[in-house]
Amino acid sequence: MAYRETEKMRLRKAETRQRILDCALQLVMEGGFRNAQVSQVARRAEIATGTIYRHFTAKEELFAEVFRTATRREVTKVGESLAEAGSVIERLEQALRQFAARALNRPMMAWALIAEPVDPKVEAERLTYRKAYAELFEQAIREGMNEGCLPPQDAVCSSTCLVGALAESLVGPLSPVQGSTDETSHTSNTETLVNGIVRFCLQGLTGTGR
Amino acid sequence: MAYRETEKMRLRKAETRQRILDCALQLVMEGGFRNAQVSQVARRAEIATGTIYRHFTAKEELFAEVFRTATRREVTKVGESLAEAGSVIERLEQALRQFAARALNRPMMAWALIAEPVDPKVEAERLTYRKAYAELFEQAIREGMNEGCLPPQDAVCSSTCLVGALAESLVGPLSPVQGSTDETSHTSNTETLVNGIVRFCLQGLTGTGR
DNA sequence: ACAAGGAATGAATAATGATTCACTTTTATG
DNA sequence: CATAAAAGTGAATCATTATTCATTCCTTGT
């Protein structure tokens, strides 16, 4: 015998793998999944195309993981908002705002995660991700019902509606309409938009106007 | 001179064109846009592949039109619900139910229109289509505000939220999960689901529980 | 019947990108 | 250093489909 995988090597491999993931994520942030080809990822990571296949069995595998990672971050943030102090309603409002704010800050990323057409395997991740959001909201809603600050309702359904309303409202503003990296057009109404979403959603939950 | 396009020919051409559209739609209804290749459309329409290009400049053109047609039908239905007699609220409820019912009746079609990943040109049609729905709802909401049965609100935002909540709630049930043409699993909760959506949406609009 | 356009055909081509694989380089061990 | 085992390489291959175009087939008007 002559070669055994050593700790150092294991580490180096892990680093390369991570670099691939990072570069893939970068590309998605810059131009969505559509513009993130395997060869581009390789170039960005300064490795050969073939090397990527030593770390991932297929492109979809790689990008599913990219999606998962990006997503986890976002879900965590919303989860944190929901875990803070305050009434359930306040926390839900905070979470909705958090979601919207983060999306509007990284429009391309948000669009890629929320609405860009993607391969089946990645789309599957998207469903999971939306469900993860919904489940966070769902739990908060249940809490609210227990505390009595939310009326009895189907928590699953309500949380799904929340996610949908949020996503749909953001798709318009986020959509990378051909050749306009125009900052000015949206900036001003962002606040109004978010307020409108929050109002609708909270009313949908509470059945109570302001 | 010897050949001039005659009425008969014009008609025949129109028929072929229509047949292409019909067959393309059929294919989408059966397997979504993904399974609707140009060659398949040709085969189904019993013409040569090349013939399709005498009627449409490109695949995306064809399918954009398919999308538009399918969509128009749906939007019209919802529009009709909103135009019937009754209070604004009743009509909005009717429209929401109409939308959901039609979607659940033709799951593949609905999924293709609402959530399937599609080419950019078709995606553009999707945005238009969602906007068309939103505009119908928007108008009803304005009416409601004028009549005083809806509190003041941003009609655009509210209508967008409606569409989003509806779409998101349906995506789960509609998603063609690999290899399950299972009827039983959803059938029973359909009614519950729709009721939940309607409740959330109407509350979101009115700020009033039942 | 015939000539002059169009219309239709479908095999060949193009385009895009993922994936492979024969070969080179690197790493670990006796 | 020699050798075994991986890891890395990237040009070539494969796969999938849209699109083209040289050719054939049909209409139409004389």
Side-chain angles (χ1 to χ4, degrees):
Chain A
M1 99 207 71
Y3 178 93
R4 298 239 50 195
E5 185 176 81
T6 184
E7 191 50 36
K8 180 179 149 203
M9 253 293 118
R10 220 184 323 273
L11 200 71
R12 184 205 292 261
K13 264 167 66 176
E15 270 167 17
T16 301
R17 192 190 142 90
Q18 192 52 51
R19 188 145 40 88
I20 293 170
L21 285 167
D22 292 347
C23 293
L25 180 63
Q26 273 178 33
L27 284 168
V28 171
M29 288 209 287
E30 289 167 20
F33 287 93
R34 195 182 160 67
N35 295 50
Q37 298 96 332
V38 175
S39 60
Q40 290 302 307
V41 175
R43 172 186 317 230
R44 178 82 55 114
E46 299 182 82
I47 56 177
T49 309
T51 304
I52 287 181
Y53 289 84
R54 306 213 144 257
H55 296 274
F56 302 90
T57 59
K59 186 198 180 188
E60 288 195 321
E61 218 69 43
L62 162 58
F63 282 98
E65 186 159 342
V66 167
F67 196 102
R68 229 174 290 134
T69 312
T71 276
R72 208 183 345 255
R73 235 182 265 169
E74 298 301 311
V75 171
T76 303
K77 285 291 174 186
V78 167
E80 284 171 9
S81 291
L82 285 173
E84 279 180 11
S87 76
V88 168
I89 309 243
E90 281 166 0
R91 285 180 284 144
L92 275 165
E93 172 164 353
Q94 206 37 243
L96 294 173
R97 289 188 185 281
Q98 178 81 204
F99 184 121
R102 289 183 64 84
L104 293 166
N105 269 339
R106 287 182 191 60
M108 182 60 82
M109 187 76 230
W111 174 73
L113 294 181
I114 293 173
E116 183 181 6
V118 293
D119 310 56
K121 281 261 176 59
V122 179
E123 182 67 24
E125 293 297 327
R126 174 131 76 202
L127 290 183
T128 313
Y129 141 84
R130 290 196 165 207
K131 191 159 196 177
Y133 274 121
E135 278 170 4
L136 282 178
F137 286 130
E138 186 192 327
Q139 207 196 323
I141 291 169
R142 284 190 204 289
E143 241 179 88
M145 290 194 291
N146 285 339
E147 286 182 19
C149 60
L150 287 184
Q153 60 195 282
D154 179 342
V156 172
C157 184
S158 294
S159 61
T160 307
C161 287
L162 281 192
V163 172
L166 211 39
E168 181 76 15
S169 301
L170 293 173
V171 163
L174 293 176
S175 264
V177 189
Q178 271 264 0
S180 108
T181 319
D182 190 352
E183 287 294 319
T184 54
S185 63
H186 307 317
T187 314
S188 58
N189 355 36
T190 280
E191 189 56 26
T192 312
L193 174 71
V194 176
N195 286 335
I197 301 172
V198 168
R199 192 200 50 74
F200 182 92
C201 287
L202 291 186
Q203 274 187 192
L205 292 173
T206 63
T208 316
R210 289 324 180 56
Chain B
M1 98 210 72
Y3 178 91
R4 300 235 53 195
E5 185 176 79
T6 183
E7 191 49 35
K8 181 180 149 200
M9 254 292 118
R10 219 186 322 274
L11 201 71
R12 182 204 295 262
K13 266 167 63 174
E15 269 167 18
T16 302
R17 192 189 141 91
Q18 192 52 51
R19 189 145 40 87
I20 293 170
L21 285 166
D22 293 346
C23 294
L25 180 63
Q26 273 179 34
L27 284 168
V28 170
M29 288 208 288
E30 290 168 21
F33 287 92
R34 192 179 162 67
N35 296 49
Q37 299 96 333
V38 176
S39 60
Q40 289 303 305
V41 176
R43 174 188 315 231
R44 177 82 55 116
E46 299 181 83
I47 56 177
T49 310
T51 304
I52 287 180
Y53 288 85
R54 310 211 134 255
H55 296 276
F56 301 90
T57 59
K59 186 200 180 186
E60 288 195 322
E61 217 70 41
L62 162 58
F63 282 98
E65 186 158 341
V66 167
F67 195 103
R68 229 174 291 134
T69 310
T71 276
R72 207 181 348 253
R73 235 182 265 168
E74 297 302 310
V75 172
T76 301
K77 285 291 174 187
V78 167
E80 284 171 9
S81 291
L82 286 173
E84 279 180 11
S87 76
V88 168
I89 309 239
E90 282 164 0
R91 286 180 284 143
L92 276 165
E93 172 164 352
Q94 207 37 242
L96 294 173
R97 289 187 185 282
Q98 178 81 205
F99 185 121
R102 289 182 64 84
L104 294 166
N105 269 337
R106 286 182 192 60
M108 182 61 81
M109 186 77 231
W111 173 74
L113 294 181
I114 293 172
E116 184 182 5
V118 292
D119 311 64
K121 281 261 176 58
V122 180
E123 182 67 24
E125 293 297 327
R126 174 132 75 202
L127 290 184
T128 313
Y129 141 84
R130 290 196 165 206
K131 190 158 198 177
Y133 275 120
E135 278 170 4
L136 282 179
F137 287 130
E138 185 193 327
Q139 207 195 324
I141 291 169
R142 284 192 204 290
E143 241 179 87
M145 290 194 292
N146 285 338
E147 285 181 18
C149 60
L150 288 183
Q153 60 194 283
D154 178 341
V156 171
C157 183
S158 295
S159 61
T160 307
C161 287
L162 281 191
V163 173
L166 210 39
E168 181 75 15
S169 301
L170 293 172
V171 164
L174 293 176
S175 265
V177 189
Q178 269 261 7
S180 108
T181 319
D182 189 353
E183 288 294 319
T184 54
S185 62
H186 307 316
T187 313
S188 58
N189 355 36
T190 279
E191 189 56 27
T192 312
L193 173 71
V194 176
N195 286 334
I197 301 173
V198 168
R199 191 199 52 74
F200 182 92
C201 288
L202 291 186
Q203 273 186 195
L205 293 173
T206 63
T208 315
R210 287 323 179 55

